[in-house]
Amino acid sequence: MAKAAVGAMRYCLSFTAASLRPELATVIAQIHLQQGDWRKTKAAVLESNALQARSASSAKRLESELRQRLQTLTPAQLELLAIGSSDDRTAMAWLALLKRIQLACVVVQNVLAEKLVGLDPVLRRSDMVAFYEEQERHHPELAQVAPSTQQKIRSTLLHMLRDAGLLVGKAGKGGVLGTVQRPLLSTEVQQLVTADDPALLAGFLVAPSLRARVATKENKRAPKG
């Protein structure tokens, strides 16, 4: 998962239909383990209102978005999502998002990772404004949506970064949005991600190449003597 290139494809923006929602992703994963078929899983989720949506239309939107994310996971990853610890379920829900929503990958690589490499982990509103301005130059689909949709895209993505443990702390004065951090990953999560594609670890800010860049930066800043 090298530094993301812009303009490679149109961004999928359907993620605004559901935030990270690891608890709901877990429900779908558990039903899928029982059904063994995504068509049957969809029917079971909607018929029982397993996602506890307020309306049939909301249930369909939630189910569709979450299911399409989970369909990117390997069987072992789905099983961990269904039966793992709370932290493991969150990690698998974030992994599913990374594998479906390119914009999530790009913001981690082009903003969060660069904040860590620069030894400036405080994420500011100006960082995100600059990021979206750059993305809109190469992805007109971001600029063409209504202002209200643009705001929903930005707020949902920030919310998911917090839920995934990549951003901590409340927004504060001076445009501060929070502090970037690496989430704690269990050995099992790291093994499942690595077995799938080691490059995906970059989405959790734990890629070896990123660690090396940060270490180099820290060494350069360390006082000599």
Side-chain angles (χ1 to χ4, degrees):
M1 200 163 144
K3 189 175 176 65
V6 293
M9 63 173 65
R10 287 181 61 87
Y11 283 143
C12 173
L13 304 178
S14 65
F15 65 87
T16 57
S19 190
L20 193 60
R21 306 306 296 268
E23 74 286 358
L24 297 186
T26 296
V27 169
I28 296 176
Q30 291 171 341
I31 293 175
H32 182 67
L33 283 184
Q34 297 170 354
Q35 299 293 333
D37 175 87
W38 283 110
R39 181 181 58 81
K40 294 179 180 178
T41 298
K42 174 183 177 179
V45 169
L46 294 179
E47 288 172 6
S48 64
N49 192 21
L51 305 182
Q52 298 185 346
R54 294 183 178 181
S55 67
S57 59
S58 294
K60 289 180 180 179
R61 285 194 299 271
L62 267 176
E63 186 280 332
S64 177
E65 176 57 29
L66 292 173
R67 172 173 44 80
Q68 289 182 80
R69 295 178 195 174
L70 300 194
Q71 286 175 314
T72 69
L73 297 179
T74 67
Q77 291 164 355
L78 272 172
E79 183 175 1
L80 184 60
L81 174 58
I83 66 175
S85 68
S86 176
D87 289 343
D88 287 350
R89 294 196 300 268
T90 296
M92 290 299 98
W94 177 247
L95 176 63
L97 187 83
L98 289 172
K99 294 174 78 171
R100 172 167 162 76
I101 307 299
Q102 188 192 22
L103 184 59
C105 299
V106 176
V107 76
V108 172
Q109 296 172 75
N110 293 12
V111 182
L112 303 194
E114 293 306 313
K115 297 296 288 185
L116 290 186
V117 170
L119 304 183
D120 176 24
V122 176
L123 183 66
R124 298 173 178 84
R125 194 171 303 279
S126 58
D127 296 321
M128 297 304 295
V129 169
F131 168 73
Y132 283 113
E133 288 177 349
E134 170 66 17
Q135 292 301 306
E136 286 173 2
R137 285 195 285 271
H138 301 278
H139 289 271
E141 65 272 21
L142 284 172
Q144 291 168 356
V145 297
S148 59
T149 302
Q150 289 182 355
Q151 180 56 39
K152 188 171 184 180
I153 289 170
R154 299 182 183 196
S155 62
T156 302
L157 188 53
L158 271 178
H159 189 65
M160 290 192 291
L161 291 173
R162 293 185 189 282
D163 286 347
L166 294 161
L167 186 66
V168 296
K170 296 181 179 179
K173 296 180 179 179
V176 171
L177 296 175
T179 301
V180 178
Q181 70 169 17
R182 294 185 182 88
L184 294 176
L185 302 180
S186 69
T187 300
E188 187 170 7
V189 167
Q190 294 188 56
Q191 290 174 341
L192 288 179
V193 175
T194 301
D196 185 3
D197 182 355
L200 289 167
L201 287 172
F204 296 88
L205 298 174
V206 295
S209 59
L210 175 59
R211 288 185 180 276
R213 291 173 65 196
V214 174
T216 299
K217 192 81 171 184
E218 289 174 340
N219 290 336
K220 287 181 178 180
R221 287 195 177 188
K224 297 181 180 180

